Amino acid sequence: MEKKVILDGNAVAASVKESLKERINLLAQEGITPCLATILVGDDPSSETYVRMKGNACEKLGIISKRIHLPKETTTEELLETITELNEDEKVHGILLQHPVPEQIDERKAFETIAIEKDVDGVTSLGYGQTAFGFGVYPSCTPAAILEIMDFYNIDASGKHAVVVGRSPILGKPVSALLLNRNATVTTCHSYTSNLEQFVKQADIVVAAVGKPNFIQGEWIKEGAVVLDAGYNKGNIGDADYESCAEKASAITPVPGGVGPVTISMLLKHTVISAESYMSKKSATL
Amino acid sequence: MEKKVILDGNAVAASVKESLKERINLLAQEGITPCLATILVGDDPSSETYVRMKGNACEKLGIISKRIHLPKETTTEELLETITELNEDEKVHGILLQHPVPEQIDERKAFETIAIEKDVDGVTSLGYGQTAFGFGVYPSCTPAAILEIMDFYNIDASGKHAVVVGRSPILGKPVSALLLNRNATVTTCHSYTSNLEQFVKQADIVVAAVGKPNFIQGEWIKEGAVVLDAGYNKGNIGDADYESCAEKASAITPVPGGVGPVTISMLLKHTVISAESYMSKKSATL
């Protein structure tokens, strides 16, 4: 039996960040500093933490973190106005609206207002469609992280059966689309799936994206399958029961230290790509 | 054993058209006649036939068919100009660019130029993304036809396992997305799928969208499955081997007379919806 591989997200993230440093230096030579604008609405403590983590990760790498904090009473119109200003601000290369927003806000409308060139978090339906059609620039960050991990560890999806458990617009749907474009046969499962276990048992690649702690059981995993756990539940617990799944898997992402750190590095990478596009366009018009 | 149902696309199409007649009459009372612009580039005989069929179907129902025929030497820029003019023409409610275009043209760029409000054929990545996210107005017409047939015959997808064979941007991908949104567990198969037969054998609903005559074999079909054949190959032959599949299926679309006629009626329906939206917007600004 081959040795089991623990897919080390921190190593992948470190490698991504290392390559970004050089690109950020090149941009600096042209007088451009990549800038990510984050919008936090309200004062949900975990959202505050997430936004702070993302902002700090930017600054650590030399990306400007423009942090906008709107009061919890913000209306949809006010939020759209903020997004529109950021769309028009040449110094901002990426926009991240922290989910969830307070319930009086039309979150989908807000997401859709983000300009495609700045949708580095991959939340717009246009970005999703482009990704699914194979020419998207900024896929949603967690799906992008999953592919980055696979690439780092030379895990080929082609001809494999990938079973994705979950169908959210930022996770299950785009990761299904990306794996399909990598020539996997993809089954997307969700809360209406009858006999989920039977589907997972057939998978060469399992993506857990369901948002339930320790939901995917080791006995569902086919011997030698690859388990990619995109879950992140309270107390640092993934969607896959790590101990039992690790016994069967040939490769598995731990939680924490798996998909999570790579997700943030994808956000940074997308912001740098956007700054590079801005630079190319600028020099083309000179 | 229950009686087998032959899913009669002509009956579904007739029912759709009947309901559209009333809506077209209501629009006429407001002085609006729905108009579909079709663009044919070059002189491929089957493309000419398809465009003519669509145009004639429009006229038969009282929808204006604006037929634009461009020479085969047309450049991408010239085609984009034509599309932009149609986007801006208030009297045009839908735009259909007949696929395929001559090879010097960037077809994807041309499709992407069609304004989302007029993308009644469902070819843009934005339209696809909106459909996948559950708020698309004009899904691609063949996938829409498949859902229309299911609705007409009360075939519920929820909790069922749907296996889609094919992953094209106008067929396999959007029909997978629509079935997923109907709460089916969806497996998308394609040319890289190993052991296709094993996937099809598990399906409660099989969508054949592969473009190969008589490709799906009856012995692959689970007893009682629903077979929806979106194939249309030379000589009126579907992608599923009708005789052998019909022996196992509880319901099946024939070719011809199955998905095909409903597809055209979806194009008409979308054009009418677009004219209705135009009317609503017009009265809102009065």
Side-chain angles (χ1 to χ4, degrees), chain A residues 3 15-16 27 39 52 70 76 88 100-101 104 150 156 160 174 184 192 204-205 208 211 231 276 279-280:
Chain A
K3 203 175 164 286
S15 153
V16 171
L27 283 163
I39 309 172
R52 191 170 47 240
L70 300 175
T76 301
E88 288 164 4
V101 293
Q104 78 278 7
M150 292 176 73
D156 185 14
K160 304 280 175 61
Y192 287 78
D204 303 309
I205 297 167
E276 289 169 343
M279 184 184 72
S280 312

Side-chain angles (χ1 to χ4, degrees), chain A residues 108 112 123-126 128-130 132-135 158-161 167 169-170 173 180-190 192-194 199 202, chain B residues 108 112 123-126 128-130 132-135 158-161 167 169-170 173 180-190 192-194 199 202:
Chain A
R108 179 43 52 193
E112 296 293 318
V123 295
T124 61
S125 59
L126 176 57
Y128 172 77
Q130 293 182 345
F133 280 7
F135 57 94
S158 184
K160 304 280 175 61
H161 184 201
R167 56 168 167 172
I170 57 157
K173 285 179 180 175
L180 184 64
N181 290 345
R182 291 282 181 102
N183 298 325
T185 301
V186 179
T187 301
T188 311
C189 300
H190 45 79
Y192 287 78
T193 296
S194 6
F199 286 101
Q202 297 178 48
Chain B
R108 179 42 55 192
E112 295 294 318
V123 295
T124 61
S125 59
L126 177 56
Y128 172 76
Q130 293 183 344
F133 280 5
F135 57 92
S158 183
K160 304 281 174 60
H161 184 202
R167 56 168 168 172
I170 57 158
K173 284 178 181 177
L180 184 64
N181 289 345
R182 291 282 182 101
N183 299 325
T185 301
V186 179
T187 300
T188 311
C189 299
H190 44 79
Y192 286 77
T193 297
S194 6
F199 286 101
Q202 297 178 48

Side-chain angles (χ1 to χ4, degrees), chain B residues 214-243:
Chain B
N214 293 333
F215 182 70
I216 307 288
Q217 301 299 309
E219 57 182 52
W220 304 359
I221 303 296
K222 185 166 79 175
E223 194 70 50
V226 173
V227 177
L228 300 156
D229 189 348
Y232 192 77
N233 307 288
K234 239 180 206 166
N236 273 345
I237 297 171
D239 285 354
D241 183 65
Y242 184 78
E243 298 230 342

Side-chain angles (χ1 to χ4, degrees), chain A residues 161 163 189 193-203 220, chain B residues 202:
Chain A
H161 184 201
V163 172
C189 300
T193 296
S194 6
N195 214 349
L196 175 65
E197 182 179 338
Q198 288 308 314
F199 286 101
V200 175
K201 276 186 168 163
Q202 297 178 48
W220 305 358
Chain B
Q202 297 178 48

